[in-house]
Every structure is written in C-alpha cells, then in structure tokens.
Amino acid sequence: MRVTETVEGEAARVRKIIHIDMDAFYASVEQRDHPELRGKPVAVGGSAERGVVAAASYEARKFGVRSAMPSVTAKRQCPDLIFVKPRFEIYKAISRQIREIFAEHTEIIEPLSLDEAYLDVTENLQGIPLARDIALRIREKIKAETGLNASAGVSYNKFLAKLASDHRKPNGQFVIAPEMGAAFVETLPVGKFHGIGPATSAKMNALGLFTGLDIRNQTLEFMNANFGKSGAYYYWISRGVDERPVRANRIRKSIGAETTFSTDLDDFDALVVKLSPLVDKVWRHCETSGSRGRTITLKIKFADFEIITRSRSVPAPVGGRDELERLACGLLEIEMPLPKRVRLLGVSLSSLQVGDDAEPQLTFGI
C-alpha cells in the first residue's frame, strides 16, 4: 500500500490493519475434535426447548441457522441439526494459542472476542513489508497449530479491514487498498455496515439511504441531524475513512451475565432468586479484573421475546457485591407488577474504571 491518506491537508502514513476472524469458531472446534461431526450441520448450544444457538457450522448456515437463534427455530429450519454443548474453557485455551501467534508479529492487538481481533502491523516485529503476507503467515500458522481455518481482511483502517475479512469467507483473505476504499463502500447495503444494526438500517432506508453511496451523497449536517453523534462516523466511513486506532488492551465497556429460565416467571421473589447468581458472576469478574462500574443495567426478556432494559447510574463506583444486588433488585422492583411473564434476566455493570482511572463509557444492555 503506497497511496497516502491526507488528514487536514497533511500527508499521513498509511496504516496497515489486519482483521482476523476464525471461521465458525466454536462449531469448527467441535468438528475438529469429533470427526463424526465433520461435514454435518452442527450447532453449539442448548437443544432444549428454550435453548439458544451460540454458533453454527457452515453446513448449518446453509439452512439459515445463525448464532443467537432460538434452538427450536434452528431445528425447524434444519431437521438434521446436531446440537453440541459448548466447552468454553477449550475455546478460551485455543484463543490464547491464536493470540500468541498474533504477538509474534505485533504488540498492537485489539481482541474483539475469542475468535476475532484487529492487528496494527504498520510496524511489525518480523519486518515483513506487505500486510497481506503477514496475514497469510498468521492464517497458515493457525491452521498448522490448531487445525482451524481463519479468514483475514487487510486494509488501511479498521472498518474496511473487517469488511474485507467477510468478503472471502470461509478460509479466505482479501485486501482493500486505499485507492479501492470509497468505491468498495459505495455499493454496500447499509445493513452490511459494521456498527449499523437493524433499527438504524430501517431508519436509513426510510430516509432513502440504502447504500454507502446514498450516505456519501448527504451532508455532514444532515447525518448529524438524523443520527446524532453517530452521524459523523457514518458520514466518514461511507467515504472509506475511519481514523479509529487499533487499541491494545482495550478497556471493556461492560461486564454482564444473563440466564434463560426453564419456565417463564412473573413472581418478584422468584426473579430475585434468579438474579443472585448473575450478580455473583458479574462481581466475580469485577474482583478478578479490578474493574468497578457506576451504571447498573437490568435486562428483561419477556415470554414473547420483547426486551426491555432499565439502568441506574450512581455517583461512585459500586463498592461491593451486596450493593450491586440491591441496585439490580431495585430496578426490578420498580417494574413490578410485570405486564408479562419473563423468560430471561440479565445484569450488567458499565461506566467501568480500573483502580482510580475513570473512563466514561456508554450504557448498554448485554
């Protein structure tokens, strides 16, 4: 990549960003470890009536099976679907192996989850001139050491690198050079933009914005007026511009836990009993990581799958497990009596800080 970006009239060195995304990670691990599952539609998750798909193999995806889909729906769409219980400790161990491979090339690694990460290889530890060659070496070593396939996207910013990694999945690699960026985005449906969910996509469509080019044809003032703080971000990515750095040791925005009940509940005391182990999980992570937060969010999913969240922010970080439970129960109590029976509860803590270093964060549910 030799073309340079221009920032405020000054030439800036082009960054080299790689987005690595493991292919159907959980399901691929299960197929690797259980040869009888290879070539078959596999879903990692609970097969019970109220279970949810955590991951689906590519064979299952052909039938429309997707992560976060209710297991009943997945089984209806793919009658031959094989459910496998998740083994998160195994997935975490493999993820650590993969990150060690990343670390052979750069110290600037931003993990997004167990199975994907951004790498800034503008200056890389092995002195390899082309980012595409670094991505290829990483994918080859992941395959050799874990037996799993990874896809990679290479570009001059994070937004385009992630688009590129999706472009040749599975087990593929694609480069979006600076001279390709704007043209690549202009035909892209807004629903395919990373960071634009169904609600925002529908709002854009209602405003006549269906592709990257449609957004690019709008003024910054129009985007800000209709999309608030996100408007500028959409305006610039439609032009192939994304100045976000790859953030090593990225600060986590929230810590959360949730559970789906075997039967729907609407009794306050019964729901409080279900909240207690969720509070335990969240506080255990706080203790382990040294994180503390000021915003408590309660997530409620009703029997008809409607979801509501209720949040409360306190002046000082929550100081203990009992305080967290009291605040979470208080949010639940305000909603009583509930209009419908509940199938899922979740608790999260955000506006996180570590020690005395506070960093304001957005409040959101899990």
Side-chain angles (χ1 to χ4, degrees):
M1 296 182 185
R2 296 183 178 277
V3 180
T4 58
E5 296 172 309
T6 300
V7 180
E8 296 181 353
E10 295 183 4
R13 181 178 54 171
V14 174
R15 292 180 295 163
K16 299 176 183 178
I17 310 296
I18 300 173
H19 179 258
I20 299 284
D21 195 0
M22 301 300 296
D23 296 332
F25 183 48
Y26 299 169
S28 294
V29 171
E30 299 304 332
Q31 289 179 318
R32 180 198 72 175
D33 294 349
H34 303 282
E36 69 276 12
L37 298 177
R38 294 173 191 168
K40 296 180 179 179
V42 173
V44 176
S47 61
E49 182 179 349
R50 305 177 71 81
V52 175
V53 174
S57 68
Y58 281 98
E59 294 85 356
R61 294 182 189 187
K62 292 177 182 177
F63 293 88
V65 178
R66 295 287 184 270
S67 61
M69 176 180 284
S71 298
V72 172
T73 305
K75 190 70 172 176
R76 187 164 55 243
Q77 294 191 192
C78 180
D80 295 327
L81 189 63
I82 301 168
F83 285 92
V84 180
K85 290 184 178 179
R87 299 181 296 155
F88 288 111
E89 290 307 314
I90 300 296
Y91 309 149
K92 289 176 184 177
I94 297 170
S95 181
R96 286 192 290 270
Q97 269 186 283
I98 293 167
R99 289 184 191 175
E100 287 174 4
I101 295 172
F102 296 161
E104 294 173 5
H105 295 275
T106 180
E107 296 177 351
I108 309 175
I109 303 165
E110 180 179 336
L112 301 178
S113 61
L114 292 179
D115 61 342
E116 63 174 320
Y118 289 112
L119 288 66
D120 188 325
V121 296
T122 310
E123 300 290 341
N124 67 88
L125 299 176
Q126 297 189 17
I128 301 170
L130 296 177
R132 69 186 70 192
D133 291 341
I134 299 172
L136 186 61
R137 288 195 189 187
I138 288 172
R139 292 175 53 234
E140 288 174 343
K141 190 158 187 179
I142 289 172
K143 181 69 172 181
E145 294 195 1
T146 70
L148 302 171
N149 291 326
S151 293
V154 180
S155 196
Y156 57 95
N157 63 44
K158 291 166 73 172
F159 174 70
L160 290 171
K162 186 165 178 64
L163 284 183
S165 68
D166 285 338
H167 198 62
R168 292 277 171 83
K169 267 186 164 292
N171 196 28
Q173 181 170 314
F174 189 69
V175 177
I176 301 177
E179 62 270 19
M180 299 165 54
F184 191 88
V185 175
E186 69 180 20
T187 59
L188 194 72
V190 295
K192 297 288 187 182
F193 279 43
H194 178 59
I196 296 181
T200 303
S201 179
K203 181 177 179 180
M204 286 188 171
N205 291 169
L207 291 168
L209 309 179
F210 296 94
T211 66
L213 182 59
D214 292 332
I215 298 176
R216 200 165 81 203
N217 287 335
Q218 308 307 314
T219 64
L220 181 58
E221 290 73 20
F222 174 88
M223 295 303 295
N224 285 335
N226 285 281
F227 300 99
K229 292 180 180 179
S230 299
Y233 173 69
Y234 303 147
Y235 176 88
W236 286 112
I237 61 174
S238 72
R239 290 158 170 75
V241 177
D242 178 9
E243 297 297 338
R244 294 173 301 157
V246 175
R247 297 170 60 194
N249 302 316
R250 187 168 61 114
I251 295 174
R252 189 169 180 169
K253 291 185 177 180
S254 73
I255 300 168
E258 61 183 42
T259 184
T260 301
F261 312 141
S262 56
T263 57
D264 298 333
L265 302 172
D266 59 5
D267 178 72
F268 178 72
D269 291 337
L271 290 167
V272 167
V273 169
K274 296 294 186 181
L275 271 178
S276 185
L278 300 180
V279 171
D280 286 338
K281 287 182 181 179
V282 172
W283 194 252
R284 193 180 308 125
H285 192 285
C286 288
E287 294 284 79
T288 302
S289 64
S291 300
R292 296 292 184 269
R294 295 185 298 103
T295 300
I296 303 87
T297 300
L298 177 72
K299 174 182 176 181
I300 301 174
K301 181 186 286 187
F302 293 110
D304 61 0
F305 289 89
E306 179 192 359
I307 297 174
I308 64 171
T309 58
R310 298 291 183 263
S311 298
R312 179 183 173 186
S313 294
V314 292
V318 175
R321 184 234 175 257
D322 291 345
E323 182 185 359
L324 177 60
E325 183 170 40
R326 176 177 58 79
L327 291 165
C329 290
L331 289 170
L332 177 62
E333 189 172 12
I334 291 170
E335 299 303 310
M336 302 302 295
L338 291 160
K340 293 172 281 192
R341 295 175 71 84
V342 176
R343 65 177 277 122
L344 174 150
L345 278 182
V347 177
S348 66
L349 190 61
S350 56
S351 299
L352 296 182
Q353 63 185 70
V354 179
D356 297 325
D357 299 325
E359 175 171 317
Q361 300 289 357
L362 296 175
T363 302
F364 61 94
I366 304 173

